[in-house]
Amino acid sequence: MRETLLSTPEGIRDIYGSECERKHQIINDMEHVLHLYGNKDIETPTFEYFGIFNSDKGSAPSNEMYKFFDRDNNTLVLRPDFTPSIARCVAKYFADEELPIRLCYRGNTFASTEKHQGKLAEITQLGSELINDDSSAADAESIACVIDCLKASGLNEFQIVIGEVEYFKGIIEDAKLPKKIEEKIKDYIQIKNFFGLSEYISELDIDEGIKNNLNSLSSLFGGLDALDKAEKLTESKCALEAIDRLRKVYTALSYYEYESYVSFDLSMINGYDYYTGIVFSGYTYGTGNPIVRGGRYNDLLSMYGKDAPSIGFSIYVDELMNGLNRQKLPFKRNVKSALIVYTIEHQQSALLLAQKLRQNECIAQLIRKSKRHDEDEYMTYSDIYDVGKVYILQDENNVRIISADRSVDETRKIDDLDI
């Protein structure tokens, strides 16, 4: 019984201590970047009506949602995805707005994945949605914002891989395939099973040129040369317009001087069915899963009553943390911290010192000294909790100061401290 009380459900975990502190700091730093791009905060409910996310919206599969009922027998779900919730809000509160709307959010999503996959069921996300802008400049702005967010998190080496759903749609439209076969092909491409795709389409009664185009998707990745190759493979107007748009996005990103962070993959179509144009995912060392996903979804808001082209992205904070930790990137705190050790006789001086430290944006922890613990134990405590300096009250006027690395060990008057 005790073991059950202390454990968490599969796919759910506790976060505490320095890991939790680092996570919050990363979120705050990235959120600051989102605000610099003009995004305004929005919060949506943790659970909503099932209809907000059901299959015709192209969100998560029904069997991956956590469902429950309210007292009126309405089906509710824990949100599996932020974008449909924000689409609902925009349709409700910005129904008549025609100029760009920039919104950003932070929070958790929930997905009931199969057991033993090692995936989290509760995921922290931070993201942005740019609504009422159908330009390639908006596409580039979203990707540039992602890059700036990841840089703000402390990540140095990462890659944003860009695709275009309309390129794939153009090739499929040329093939004039039944919907069932089209979905099968999409499934193979989604999981990057190009051997299976090749075997499957070899048995289809379609033009050899179409087969070649579909098989070529596996090699359409890299820099601008990938776009050159993709352009030569098809005469589809839809596909060629998609390539042209990607070139415009790349040009805009070059103005940001972010070419080194981006590459192309024309086989990328991403998971949700609501994407209608450019799609992108971010990757780094130390995690096999994307740390960010995004794309254009021009048709989604119309399902909630507002016709508005839109693009957005979500950063998966837990995956980003995995990358930072496994790359052993140092955690640089934004604030100083101190531990004040005192006896009851010097409590007033200790409290005044703590107030002075806090007024100067320094975290100050107080511990009243006990006869059961010697000085070394307090120093060990300071190491465990990443304290920058230890202040040990000697009397009402003097304090011994020891730095975290022990390079400083001196006694000074409290009134003369330079904090």
Side-chain angles (χ1 to χ4, degrees):
M1 181 67 179
R2 179 177 172 80
E3 183 178 344
T4 303
L5 288 173
L6 297 180
S7 63
T8 60
E10 187 167 347
I12 308 295
R13 62 186 291 259
D14 299 311
I15 303 175
Y16 62 96
S18 60
E19 181 185 11
C20 192
E21 182 184 355
R22 184 175 199 178
K23 181 176 181 178
H24 288 177
Q25 182 172 310
I26 286 170
I27 290 173
N28 290 337
D29 290 343
M30 293 193 296
E31 191 172 57
H32 177 65
V33 172
L34 294 177
H35 291 157
L36 291 177
Y37 273 77
N39 290 281
K40 301 299 182 183
D41 293 323
I42 185 171
E43 290 186 5
T44 61
T46 304
F47 60 89
E48 299 205 46
Y49 291 119
F50 172 67
I52 299 298
F53 304 99
N54 62 15
S55 59
D56 65 332
K57 308 298 191 303
S59 194
S62 177
N63 64 350
E64 291 186 4
M65 297 186 201
Y66 286 99
K67 305 185 192 72
F68 54 102
F69 301 96
D70 64 12
R71 65 178 62 194
D72 297 319
N73 213 33
N74 295 305
T75 304
L76 307 175
V77 297
L78 295 177
R79 63 177 172 232
D81 178 18
F82 270 99
T83 303
S85 292
I86 292 175
R88 173 190 59 76
C89 287
V90 171
K92 181 177 182 179
Y93 302 113
F94 300 89
D96 300 322
E97 182 60 74
E98 297 180 355
L99 291 174
I101 303 166
R102 291 176 170 85
L103 301 171
C104 64
Y105 59 85
R106 63 155 86 180
N108 291 358
T109 59
F110 306 85
S112 180
T113 56
E114 292 184 22
K115 291 184 178 180
H116 312 303
Q117 286 190 344
K119 294 182 179 179
L120 290 174
E122 182 179 13
I123 300 171
T124 302
Q125 294 187 19
L126 174 132
S128 165
E129 311 292 343
L130 174 50
I131 295 134
N132 281 339
D133 193 337
D134 194 26
S135 67
S136 59
D139 296 346
E141 178 181 312
S142 290
I143 295 171
C145 186
V146 167
I147 292 170
D148 284 336
C149 283
L150 296 181
K151 289 168 67 177
S153 77
L155 204 60
N156 300 314
E157 297 183 71
F158 58 89
Q159 193 72 190
I160 308 300
V161 184
I162 306 171
E164 242 288 359
V165 171
E166 295 300 311
Y167 181 82
F168 172 73
K169 287 181 179 178
I171 292 177
I172 288 292
E173 286 173 7
D174 273 2
K176 296 180 173 59
L177 299 172
K179 188 69 175 177
K180 185 176 180 180
I181 294 177
E182 179 183 325
E183 290 298 321
K184 187 72 173 177
I185 290 173
K186 187 163 69 173
D187 289 342
Y188 277 118
I189 293 172
Q190 183 68 47
I191 62 174
K192 303 290 187 182
N193 185 359
F194 295 111
F195 292 108
L197 174 66
S198 181
E199 183 178 359
Y200 178 69
I201 63 177
S202 68
E203 299 174 358
L204 298 178
D205 184 20
I206 59 176
D207 182 79
E208 288 299 319
I210 299 297
K211 290 183 179 180
N212 181 56
N213 289 349
L214 290 170
N215 279 322
S216 296
L217 286 171
S218 64
S219 63
L220 298 180
F221 60 87
L224 286 175
D225 56 325
L227 302 187
D228 296 336
K229 184 176 179 180
E231 201 168 38
K232 295 173 183 176
L233 287 173
T234 179
E235 295 181 359
S236 164
K237 181 181 178 183
C238 178
L240 292 175
E241 286 178 350
I243 295 299
D244 182 62
R245 188 177 182 99
L246 288 178
R247 292 189 189 280
K248 291 176 180 176
V249 171
Y250 185 85
T251 297
L253 288 171
S254 71
Y255 298 152
Y256 287 97
E257 299 183 347
Y258 285 165
E259 307 98 298
S260 62
Y261 292 107
V262 300
S263 59
F264 298 101
D265 181 357
L266 273 300
S267 70
M268 178 187 293
I269 54 178
N270 272 1
Y272 293 142
D273 291 335
Y274 53 63
Y275 288 122
T276 58
I278 193 170
V279 290
F280 51 89
S281 296
Y283 300 90
T284 190
Y285 302 109
T287 174
N289 298 314
I291 56 175
V292 59
R293 275 187 172 173
R296 179 162 288 282
Y297 52 96
N298 285 352
D299 299 333
L300 181 62
L301 269 81
S302 64
M303 297 183 182
Y304 302 92
K306 178 180 175 66
D307 291 324
S310 308
I311 185 170
F313 63 84
S314 289
I315 296 173
Y316 303 115
V317 178
D318 305 281
E319 291 295 343
L320 174 58
M321 289 280 292
N322 285 339
L324 290 167
N325 291 334
R326 289 169 184 166
Q327 292 176 40
K328 301 187 185 306
L329 294 172
F331 174 31
K332 298 178 181 178
R333 286 178 169 79
N334 289 337
V335 294
K336 297 177 290 185
S337 62
L339 174 66
I340 302 172
V341 181
Y342 67 98
T343 58
I344 187 65
E345 294 83 6
H346 308 129
Q347 184 178 29
Q348 182 178 8
S349 295
L351 296 180
L352 290 173
L353 175 57
Q355 287 293 82
K356 185 176 181 180
L357 288 165
R358 290 167 186 154
Q359 289 167 4
N360 284 273
E361 299 297 315
C362 179
I363 297 170
Q365 302 179 57
L366 286 155
I367 293 185
R368 198 170 79 181
K369 197 170 183 180
S370 168
K371 294 179 180 179
R372 291 176 295 149
H373 302 291
D374 58 32
E375 191 172 284
D376 287 343
E377 289 181 87
Y378 293 114
M379 295 307 300
T380 300
Y381 177 91
S382 73
D383 292 337
I384 293 172
Y385 291 96
D386 300 310
V387 172
K389 288 183 180 180
V390 178
Y391 293 78
I392 303 176
L393 270 292
Q394 306 294 295
D395 53 43
E396 292 180 357
N397 301 310
N398 297 288
V399 60
R400 181 183 174 194
I401 305 169
I402 308 171
S403 63
D405 61 3
R406 311 298 194 269
S407 62
V408 174
D409 188 343
E410 61 181 3
T411 299
R412 297 183 58 185
K413 289 189 177 296
I414 295 175
D415 292 339
D416 295 337
L417 289 180
D418 181 21
I419 297 173

